[in-house]
Amino acid sequence: MTCINTTFLNTTCNSTNNNMNYQLNMTSNMSCQISKVSIQVLLYTLLMVIVLLTSFVGNSLVVVAALMSRQLRSKISTSFVVSLAISDLSLSVTQIPFKISHILTQKFCFGNELCYFYLVFDVIGNVASILSLLLIAVDRFVAITMPFRYPKIMNKLRGRVLIVIVWTFAIAWSFLGIPKWSSHLKGSNIRKNEEFNTCTNENYAFYLTSYFGVYVPSLVLMTCIYLKILHVVVRHIKAIDATTPKHNMFHLIKDSKAKKCEKSKFSRELKATKSLAFVYLAFVICWFPSCVINIIIFIDNHYFPELKKHKLLLINILYYAFVDILPIINTMVNPFIYSFSNKLFLEAFKRVIYKATGGFIFSSYISFQKSNTSPLNSKCQKI
């Protein structure tokens, strides 16, 4: 669910897409057979297979690494990261196979039951994903702005309760999109569209509410939180640098150690915040174009149908690049971000791969040492 309802634009694009061999078979009773595969279809399929495998392996690695690493398990933020990984994993596993099947056979080849499954899990995965990102942002905000109160505010029990609330809401909200929201209509909005051979949910009021009630507020709130974190970080760094000991030699040494310890603690939280901020930025980059497209649809739902009459190639590029492909790519990028920007996850990944391959990979791997074991860090815990 790219912010609202990709099925609308999908139908708009596919129903007249003759040039790229994506035109849907209008005979609904035809058996599902792979049609003549063009180079575009082949490249699309190959890309989706790569995304599916990468997302499955990467996000599974995040979950296993978090379970195996004592250091990661001790951090509340790890629980939120695992929630995000599970939502990305569920999206890739429940969505990509249907996308591949649809592009190869040029129709939705499954019954109404799997149509329900496809659209319901689309909502669950996306809602859980954005709300997990929001939890991560709130967690980092508390850690940076209230470091001394953080252990009490974000304890393990409270973190687990928040995760349960997120997933309960995501599941409940997905099922709320099944019945028609208009009082004079009965039945379900989800059905196989026999005209275009697609799986659709025509409950546009549901998607409108999802967009302005869940997506927009969450994105705005996350943006404000990370901007506030940036402001606090800059102010804190300036305050530390401006602090100059003005006492005798004994106090000079003591204050210098305290200052280094304060910087060390702040630096650890800042590094964790930076890696998770990159996750947020990746989400915005992958989803923002489709959100803009859906806003245009809300403002004028005739805009793209009129545009496709004259610029069919542009419509195809807009849909397949920004609505269909880019958002699903987001499901696989987070493990790479953790690998490059989070030392604890990188070391945990190495340990998992080392054990899974019997030492074949990372043969020179040395069990990573416990963090915060340097003399400075040991003393900092007591200050």
Side-chain angles (χ1 to χ4, degrees):
M1 182 173 65
T2 53
C3 292
I4 305 167
N5 185 0
T6 58
T7 307
F8 175 80
L9 188 57
N10 186 11
T11 303
T12 300
C13 294
N14 285 339
S15 61
T16 57
N17 190 357
N18 298 313
N19 294 346
M20 298 183 70
N21 198 28
Y22 292 140
Q23 184 179 14
L24 296 173
N25 191 328
M26 307 305 289
T27 307
S28 60
N29 58 1
M30 274 189 68
S31 60
C32 286
Q33 298 178 349
I34 296 179
S35 59
K36 184 178 180 181
V37 178
S38 66
I39 186 64
Q40 293 93 338
V41 172
L42 184 62
L43 291 175
Y44 176 92
T45 303
L46 179 61
L47 175 62
M48 284 297 165
V49 170
I50 293 173
V51 173
L52 174 60
L53 295 177
T54 305
S55 178
F56 180 81
V57 173
N59 288 295
S60 298
L61 191 59
V62 170
V63 176
V64 175
L67 293 175
M68 291 183 60
S69 171
R70 182 180 301 174
Q71 289 177 302
L72 287 175
R73 289 201 309 270
S74 66
K75 296 179 177 295
I76 303 301
S77 58
T78 301
S79 301
F80 302 145
V81 169
V82 169
S83 176
L84 178 62
I86 293 175
S87 65
D88 287 340
L89 184 62
S90 66
L91 274 174
S92 60
V93 171
T94 62
Q95 303 300 302
I96 295 179
F98 288 99
K99 290 177 178 289
I100 294 174
S101 171
H102 187 274
I103 203 69
L104 289 176
T105 62
Q106 299 182 359
K107 64 185 297 184
F108 188 82
C109 294
F110 311 96
N112 285 328
E113 293 80 6
L114 286 180
C115 182
Y116 274 82
F117 174 87
Y118 173 69
L119 292 176
V120 166
F121 272 89
D122 181 37
V123 177
I124 293 175
N126 279 287
V127 171
S129 178
I130 195 167
L131 293 182
S132 295
L133 281 169
L134 181 58
L135 287 182
I136 290 172
V138 172
D139 173 79
R140 290 297 86 204
F141 176 79
V142 176
I144 293 295
T145 61
M146 294 173 277
F148 298 106
R149 297 173 57 191
Y150 175 77
K152 292 183 178 180
I153 296 175
M154 299 300 291
N155 54 52
K156 287 187 177 180
L157 177 60
R158 190 164 294 168
R160 290 169 182 170
V161 169
L162 289 173
I163 292 173
V164 170
I165 292 174
V166 163
W167 282 91
T168 301
F169 175 80
I171 294 172
W173 187 253
S174 69
F175 283 99
L176 283 176
I178 295 177
K180 294 185 183 295
W181 284 24
S182 300
S183 59
H184 63 281
L185 296 176
K186 297 181 180 181
S188 170
N189 299 277
I190 297 178
R191 63 185 178 87
K192 285 184 64 176
N193 188 311
E194 298 299 338
E195 180 183 1
F196 297 111
N197 287 319
T198 57
C199 174
T200 64
N201 186 343
E202 298 176 353
N203 192 346
Y204 296 113
F206 167 75
Y207 286 105
L208 181 65
T209 307
S210 299
Y211 182 69
F212 288 106
V214 179
Y215 286 93
V216 171
S218 298
L219 285 173
V220 171
L221 188 55
M222 280 190 283
T223 302
C224 293
I225 288 174
Y226 280 111
L227 288 176
K228 178 62 177 178
I229 289 175
L230 179 62
H231 174 72
V232 172
V233 167
V234 172
R235 186 179 62 187
H236 193 85
I237 292 174
K238 288 181 178 179
I240 293 177
D241 292 339
T243 303
T244 304
K246 299 179 181 179
H247 307 289
N248 56 35
M249 184 59 67
F250 173 77
H251 288 96
L252 179 64
I253 295 173
K254 185 177 179 180
D255 288 348
S256 178
K257 289 182 178 179
K259 184 178 178 181
K260 288 181 179 179
C261 289
E262 186 180 2
K263 284 185 176 180
S264 177
K265 291 179 180 179
F266 186 75
S267 177
R268 290 196 300 270
E269 293 295 346
L270 181 59
K271 287 180 180 178
T273 302
K274 285 170 60 179
S275 66
L276 296 173
F278 288 144
V279 172
Y280 157 75
L281 289 175
F283 180 87
V284 172
I285 291 172
C286 290
W287 285 87
F288 184 74
S290 67
C291 288
V292 172
I293 290 174
N294 280 290
I295 289 174
I296 296 174
I297 293 174
F298 274 138
I299 295 174
D300 183 6
N301 59 7
H302 298 292
Y303 178 79
F304 288 109
E306 290 297 325
L307 185 62
K308 75 180 181 182
K309 296 177 181 178
H310 310 286
K311 298 182 179 180
L312 181 60
L313 179 59
L314 176 61
I315 290 293
N316 291 327
I317 293 174
L318 286 175
Y319 173 72
Y320 286 102
F322 298 129
V323 176
D324 190 55
I325 297 176
L326 191 58
I328 205 68
I329 285 179
N330 184 243
T331 64
M332 76 172 192
V333 299
N334 292 338
F336 291 101
I337 295 175
Y338 304 141
S339 298
F340 288 105
S341 62
N342 191 304
K343 185 178 180 180
L344 283 180
F345 266 106
L346 177 59
E347 295 297 339
F349 288 165
K350 288 181 180 180
R351 171 174 287 185
V352 172
I353 296 173
Y354 177 81
K355 290 185 177 181
T357 60
F360 179 74
I361 300 178
F362 300 121
S363 57
S364 60
Y365 173 75
I366 301 176
S367 297
F368 67 93
Q369 299 177 350
K370 292 182 179 180
S371 62
N372 305 324
T373 56
S374 66
L376 175 61
N377 287 328
S378 298
K379 293 180 181 178
C380 285
Q381 302 300 327
K382 301 177 182 181
I383 295 178

